[in-house]
Amino acid sequence: MKAMVLHQIAPIETAPLKLEEVPIPESQVDEILVKVGACGVCRTDLHVIEGDLKREKLPIIPGHQVVGKVVKEGNKFKKGDRIGIAWLRHTCQSCFYCEHGKENLCESSRYTGYHRDGGYAEYAVVPEEYAYHIPEGFSDAEATPLLCGGIVGYRAYKRADVPLGGKLGIYGFGSSAHIIFQIAKYQGCEVFVATRDPRHQAFAKEMGADWVGAGDSILPTPVDSIIIFAPAGNLVPIALRSLKPGGIVVNAGIHMSNIPQMSYEDCLFHEKQLRSVESNTRIDGQEFLALAEEIPIKPHITLFPLEKANEALLKVKQNAIQGTAVLIP
Ligand SMILES: [Zn+2]
Ligand SMILES: [Zn+2]
C-alpha cells in the first residue's frame, strides 16, 4: 500500500514524510483492518514529526483522524462498516485511572500515529474497542476532524465548564477551535475569538463570532471560561486576566511553550482556575459524536492528496488552513 512515512524527526519545511510502498498492516487479535477513506491532519502530527513530543516509534506513519471501511472484521464491527480511528488506541483497564473513569490519564495508554502506525496510508488497523461508529450525514473527509479536533476539543469544552448561554473566550482558531465554536454557539454562548492570523480572524467572523481580536488580546469583557488552542504559553496570563472571578482557563493542546511568570493577584486570585487536557476517554468520544450529529456540526475542510501530506502540514504550521486539512489516499 501507499503510505507517508516518517524516518527521522525534522522540521516540516524539509518535507520529512516520504511516499513509500509498504506492506498492508496485519490486524492482531481484537483488531480490525480498515481501508482508509480520508485522514484529517492535526497539529499534534506536526508535534510528532518535529519532535516537540518525546520520540516513540520510528519509522512511523502519522495520522490519528482516520475514517474508513472495515475490510477485515472483528466481533463488534462487520465488513463494510464505516468507522473512525482516533488518537487513543489502548489503555490498561486495570490502573487507578482506568478504574475511575479517567482512562485518558492511563499511564500505559497508546496513541495512533505515535506508538502505532496511523492513517497517512491506504490501510490502517485499530483495536476494535477503540474504534468509533461514524454518524451518517458526514462524508469520510468531513468526519475526520471530529475524531481529534472534535473529541479532544470537546473534552476541553467540558473542562471549561461554560455555563449554558455564558461567555466563552477562544485563543487560536484552527481545526479544533472551529468545531468547538459550533458547540458553544449551539448552547447559546457568546463567543470571543482572539487569533493571530488575519485569515483565521476573517474565518471566525464569517462563522459568527461575537467578537474577534488579535491573538494576544485581553478580551473586551470578562468571560466565564476560556479555551487556549494555540500552543503559546505567553497567552496563559493574558487569558487568566480576561476571566471573571471564579472563571476557568483550559489549555487544550498536548504541547505548549513555556508560561511566563505571572502575577498571582491579577491571574489566579478570585478563585480563577487553570486546567489542562490530556487526550480523552472513549465516553467523551461517544458523547461528542452524538452531539456532532445532533447539532449538526459542519466541519470546514481542505482536501489534499495523500502524497501532499508535507504540504498540508506546512500549511497547518503557517495557519494557512481554514478549518481542517484532510488527506485522501
Ligand atoms: Zn490504565
Ligand atoms: Zn490530534
Side-chain angles (χ1 to χ4, degrees), residues 11-328:
I12 198 64
E13 288 81 356
T14 64
L17 294 173
K18 305 295 175 208
L19 180 66
E20 290 175 11
E21 194 61 37
V22 299
I24 291 176
E26 280 189 31
S27 50
Q28 312 293 319
V29 183
D30 301 331
E31 289 185 337
I32 47 179
L33 175 67
V34 174
K35 183 162 194 336
V36 178
C39 183
V41 172
C42 173
R43 189 171 281 274
T44 299
D45 300 335
L46 203 53
H47 294 318
V48 170
I49 292 164
E50 298 197 323
D52 295 319
L53 303 186
K54 186 163 84 76
R55 199 173 83 178
E56 292 288 345
K57 177 186 179 301
L58 273 181
I60 183 84
I61 300 171
H64 57 271
Q65 305 194 92
V66 191
V67 174
K69 286 223 164 77
V70 175
V71 289
K72 196 168 160 204
E73 65 185 25
N75 297 315
K76 192 165 147 195
F77 293 105
K78 299 299 168 205
K79 217 169 161 172
D81 284 354
R82 195 165 71 128
I83 64 115
I85 307 177
W87 176 239
L88 184 74
R89 67 183 293 121
H90 169 80
T91 52
C92 76
Q93 293 309 301
S94 59
C95 71
F96 172 84
Y97 302 105
C98 284
E99 283 179 350
H100 289 79
K102 295 179 179 178
E103 65 178 356
N104 61 307
L105 300 178
C106 174
E107 286 169 4
S108 313
S109 55
R110 290 286 176 270
Y111 303 108
T112 308
Y114 187 42
H115 297 107
R116 287 287 302 276
D117 285 334
Y120 287 15
E122 289 180 292
Y123 292 87
V125 293
V126 66
E128 67 174 337
E129 286 303 320
Y130 291 80
Y132 294 97
H133 165 75
I134 297 293
E136 304 291 326
F138 296 95
S139 68
D140 288 358
E142 279 172 342
T144 62
L146 304 177
L147 288 163
C148 182
I151 293 175
V152 181
Y154 173 70
R155 186 171 181 87
Y157 184 78
K158 284 208 297 189
R159 300 223 354 112
D161 273 341
V162 197
L164 279 179
K167 289 184 165 66
L168 173 69
I170 290 179
Y171 283 81
F173 205 71
S175 171
S176 192
H178 98 282
I179 291 173
I180 294 332
F181 176 87
Q182 296 180 50
I183 300 181
K185 276 295 173 198
Y186 182 69
Q187 299 194 332
C189 296
E190 244 182 292
V191 187
F192 301 78
V193 177
T195 188
R196 190 174 54 178
D197 196 283
R199 290 163 295 190
H200 283 186
Q201 291 174 358
F203 183 43
K205 273 186 201 146
E206 200 181 296
M207 287 194 69
D210 294 280
W211 176 90
V212 178
D216 55 359
S217 315
I218 298 265
L219 300 181
T221 179
V223 298
D224 299 290
S225 309
I226 291 175
I227 306 175
I228 302 180
F229 289 101
N234 66 303
L235 297 178
V236 170
I238 294 170
L240 286 165
R241 282 168 203 261
S242 300
L243 285 179
K244 288 182 189 170
I248 297 170
V249 168
V250 178
N251 295 329
I254 191 168
H255 166 77
M256 181 175 252
S257 57
N258 287 344
I259 298 173
Q261 229 179 29
M262 55 190 184
S263 146
Y264 172 70
E265 199 176 330
D266 296 344
C267 297
L268 281 169
F269 189 57
H270 302 304
E271 301 199 348
K272 294 178 181 179
Q273 295 183 55
L274 178 60
R275 297 177 172 180
S276 67
V277 172
E278 180 170 356
S279 184
N280 61 276
T281 65
R282 283 169 284 173
I283 303 278
D284 294 328
Q286 286 149 12
E287 280 176 13
F288 168 71
L289 288 169
L291 185 60
E293 189 177 24
E294 176 190 318
I295 292 178
I297 285 178
K298 295 250 173 283
H300 288 239
I301 52 173
T302 307
L303 303 182
F304 293 83
L306 175 63
E307 46 274 27
K308 299 266 190 216
N310 290 301
E311 199 178 294
L313 282 153
L314 181 61
K315 289 204 155 138
V316 169
K317 188 173 180 179
Q318 295 168 338
N319 297 318
I321 301 283
Q322 292 188 346
T324 310
V326 179
L327 304 176
I328 306 293

